[in-house]
Amino acid sequence: MKETILHRLTEQVRRIGRQERLWSPGDVIVVAVSGGVDSTALLHIMKEIAVDEGLGLQLVCAHLHHGLRGIEADRDAEFVRELAGRLGLPFELGHADVRNYMKETGKSLELAAREKRYEYLNQVAERYGASSIALAHHADDQAETVLMRLLRGSGPSGLSGMRLKRREKNVELIRPLLRIYKTDLLQACRESGIDFVEDSSNLDTELTRNSIRLDVLPFLGQYNGQLPESLNRLAELSAAEDDYLQLEASKVYDEVVQTDNGILSLSASLFTTLHVALQRRLIKLILNYLPLSTEDRDFVKVEAIRQGTIQDRPTTWSLDLGGGVKCVREYDRIRWIPPAAESRIPHYTYLVEQFPADVPIQGTGQCLHMTITHLSAGKEDVLAKAEGNNEAIFDADELVYPLTVRSRLSGDAMKVLGLNGSKKVKDIFIDAKIPPSLRSRIPIVTDAAGRILWIPGVRRSAVAAVNPRTTSVVYMVQTPRSDPFAP
């Protein structure tokens, strides 16, 4: 008995499904059916595979009426309803007002229709507890997609085209026909007497994809008689290399990117050691973790971040990435700051009226521990010096009480050891290369006379320096809080 084209295609799809793990036994799969030749063939093929002994796939036929083609669209919906009935499959019909959605969003007809279609298919999948949505994109669709993206200047990720399987939200989008050309699908339907409907809008060359299919591909085909095959081969090669680069970028991400309260950051000097391909891919990966639209993750912004990171001279700059997200360079640190993390710590003031005292520093997980120590005879110089910037010691009798721990104020200035006069705290931070985004977290310790005594972790002032006549000292140290999650 002669093998039919439909049987051959079914076996091909069955083999692809096994190799690529497009489905598992018992899966519920929503099949998107427009009524055209591609989706009609897909539904018949998936129906044959679903009844395989031991596989037990459950199919749901879903159709969205876009509200665009009047009577013709009504005809398509009724055709798909009857098709599902003949095959004994559940049928779901949805309606969308695509033109109104276009007006609300300003999106093109193609994009608006696509978004409403995927939105509906996801709703059906959720209602049935489906693991995947089967789409009827085929090899010619893949060629069109790659060429469109090539014309738009896409990189390797774009040239990899559509994937056989891609996770979106809580379901897998699967494309079982992606390696099959439309001529085979047409022949299979005609040979097997399978009816389908024609969508007149597929001839509208005002739509980009139609123009690519009807005008551009035939024109370029004069120079390459196997152009669709060549574009599909490009997609396959690009997809493999794209997957490899993504894996490498993920490894680098785990090694060099740090997360602190929703802010992602990395070392600029470490970033410059990476290959340029990994640099770009790492930035794209970081942007994918942020609340950005696709338009806000384009090549121009990726390259602006990369160039600003690899420049030789350490500097500070800020780049608005859209959606309230900022990329900021602060000396050797590159930070990506989402809107939720942009707000500064509210101004605070703590009075220290008793010793010993422990004062929490907001937003740092640190606290300041303060004590007063009386010096015994002969030990006047024991605590004369504190080690490092995390400790400070002052002549207790030279201070005016109570002491205050507060956040920084505009115009703050401190009397600095060895300097005749005062220096602005802002300039002290700049000299110490304290990133601007961290400056609001650093506390200021003052006495009741308003004199700045110490900037913990940065520098102490010349006020109340310990000397041979000192009889008691105030000792301050910055330490981790015992309960870092306390407010």
Side-chain angles (χ1 to χ4, degrees):
M1 183 177 176
K2 183 180 178 181
E3 180 185 60
T4 66
I5 297 175
L6 183 62
H7 177 72
R8 175 171 59 82
L9 295 183
T10 300
E11 289 305 307
Q12 184 178 350
V13 171
R14 193 196 317 272
R15 185 169 60 254
I16 292 171
R18 288 170 180 166
Q19 291 173 348
E20 304 295 336
R21 298 180 182 178
L22 298 186
W23 49 73
S24 301
D27 277 357
V28 178
I29 302 175
V30 174
V31 184
V33 183
S34 67
V37 60
D38 315 328
S39 59
T40 300
L42 173 65
L43 190 63
H44 279 84
I45 289 172
M46 292 303 299
K47 171 65 175 177
E48 287 298 314
I49 293 174
V51 298
D52 280 358
E53 185 178 352
L55 195 55
L57 297 179
Q58 302 175 58
L59 305 181
V60 178
C61 177
H63 177 88
L64 179 65
H65 190 306
H66 295 86
L68 294 172
R69 294 179 290 115
I71 295 175
E72 185 179 286
D74 297 336
R75 175 209 65 185
D76 293 354
E78 191 56 34
F79 171 82
V80 178
R81 183 196 302 277
E82 293 175 359
L83 173 62
R86 288 197 304 273
L87 295 178
L89 299 175
F91 174 68
E92 290 289 332
L93 174 63
H95 291 83
D97 188 345
V98 173
R99 293 200 184 280
N100 188 54
Y101 183 64
M102 289 171 60
K103 292 177 183 177
E104 291 175 351
T105 62
K107 294 178 179 177
S108 68
L109 175 62
E110 291 171 281
L111 182 56
R114 180 184 182 278
E115 288 187 359
K116 297 306 288 184
R117 184 165 58 251
Y118 278 76
E119 177 185 298
Y120 171 68
L121 292 171
N122 274 283
Q123 290 171 355
V124 175
E126 184 177 0
R127 198 154 56 241
Y128 281 84
S131 57
S132 56
I133 298 170
L135 305 169
H137 297 118
H138 47 71
D140 292 283
D141 291 326
Q142 181 75 302
E144 295 165 15
T145 298
V146 173
L147 185 54
M148 277 198 301
R149 293 179 179 178
L150 181 64
L151 293 174
R152 290 171 182 167
S154 293
S157 296
L159 297 183
S160 64
M162 296 177 285
R163 299 302 184 99
L164 275 164
K165 179 171 65 174
R166 179 171 68 85
R167 191 78 180 172
E168 184 175 284
K169 297 182 179 178
N170 296 319
V171 296
E172 296 276 3
L173 299 181
I174 61 173
R175 297 180 172 91
L177 305 182
L178 200 56
R179 294 174 182 167
I180 297 173
Y181 288 91
K182 184 157 189 169
T183 52
D184 290 329
L185 297 173
L186 274 168
Q187 288 180 22
C189 287
R190 287 167 179 165
E191 180 187 86
S192 301
I194 296 173
D195 291 330
F196 55 88
V197 294
E198 297 281 358
D199 182 346
S200 61
S201 67
N202 288 335
L203 301 177
D204 182 4
T205 54
E206 291 296 315
L207 302 177
T208 303
R209 182 175 284 275
N210 290 349
S211 179
I212 293 288
R213 182 178 68 255
L214 299 173
D215 298 330
V216 181
L217 274 169
F219 175 78
L220 294 177
Q222 300 176 81
Y223 306 97
N224 181 352
Q226 299 292 314
L227 183 57
E229 291 81 1
S230 297
L231 291 170
N232 272 272
R233 187 163 56 250
L234 173 61
E236 186 175 351
L237 293 172
S238 297
E241 294 182 8
D242 184 60
D243 287 344
Y244 174 74
L245 267 177
Q246 192 68 12
L247 285 173
E248 291 301 303
S250 295
K251 292 177 185 175
V252 173
Y253 180 95
D254 292 337
E255 293 171 0
V256 306
V257 177
Q258 298 175 358
T259 304
D260 179 22
N261 293 323
I263 297 176
L264 304 178
S265 69
L266 55 76
S267 163
S269 55
L270 191 57
F271 180 85
T272 57
T273 65
L274 302 174
H275 188 281
V276 62
L278 271 180
Q279 290 178 351
R280 292 188 178 117
R281 188 56 66 104
L282 179 59
I283 293 172
K284 284 183 64 177
L285 185 57
I286 290 171
L287 297 184
N288 284 339
Y289 286 115
L290 297 169
L292 293 171
S293 65
T294 304
E295 294 79 7
D296 292 327
R297 300 197 296 265
D298 61 22
F299 174 80
V300 174
K301 287 184 179 175
V302 170
E303 195 63 8
I305 294 170
R306 193 183 75 83
Q307 291 292 344
T309 302
I310 63 175
Q311 63 186 20
D312 293 334
R313 184 170 54 87
T315 185
T316 61
W317 49 254
S318 178
L319 178 64
D320 185 355
L321 300 179
V325 179
K326 290 183 179 179
C327 180
V328 177
R329 177 165 184 172
E330 300 168 325
Y331 306 109
D332 189 54
R333 299 303 296 179
I334 309 296
R335 289 181 169 81
W336 286 265
I337 307 173
E342 179 65 8
S343 59
R344 290 177 174 269
I345 296 170
H347 181 73
Y348 61 89
T349 299
Y350 294 106
L351 288 180
V352 181
E353 300 179 295
Q354 299 183 54
F355 295 91
D358 286 296
V359 180
I361 305 172
Q362 290 195 28
T364 66
Q366 301 279 316
C367 79
L368 293 183
H369 178 66
M370 300 183 181
T371 59
I372 289 183
T373 302
H374 296 282
L375 301 181
S376 57
K379 295 186 178 181
E380 294 83 355
D381 62 339
V382 172
L383 299 175
K385 289 186 178 180
E387 295 185 5
N389 291 323
N390 287 327
E391 298 178 84
I393 295 178
F394 302 88
D395 188 321
D397 296 326
E398 295 294 322
L399 301 178
V400 183
Y401 300 91
L403 304 185
T404 298
V405 179
R406 61 167 173 81
S407 50
R408 184 166 65 105
L409 297 174
S410 178
D412 272 345
M414 184 175 78
K415 187 176 181 182
V416 178
L417 282 168
L419 184 66
N420 214 357
S422 298
K423 188 170 187 176
K424 289 184 177 179
V425 169
K426 177 182 177 181
D427 293 333
I428 293 173
F429 283 151
I430 292 173
D431 291 345
K433 294 187 176 181
I434 305 297
S437 64
L438 299 182
R439 293 173 189 172
S440 63
R441 299 188 180 193
I442 298 175
I444 304 291
V445 181
T446 69
D447 70 356
R451 299 176 298 179
I452 294 180
L453 307 179
W454 185 37
I455 307 175
V458 181
R459 195 166 186 176
R460 69 150 287 158
S461 73
V463 174
V466 175
N467 59 72
R469 296 182 300 278
T470 299
T471 58
S472 62
V473 297
V474 174
Y475 172 67
M476 307 180 191
V477 61
Q478 184 174 236
T479 63
R481 293 166 63 176
S482 57
D483 180 8
F485 299 105

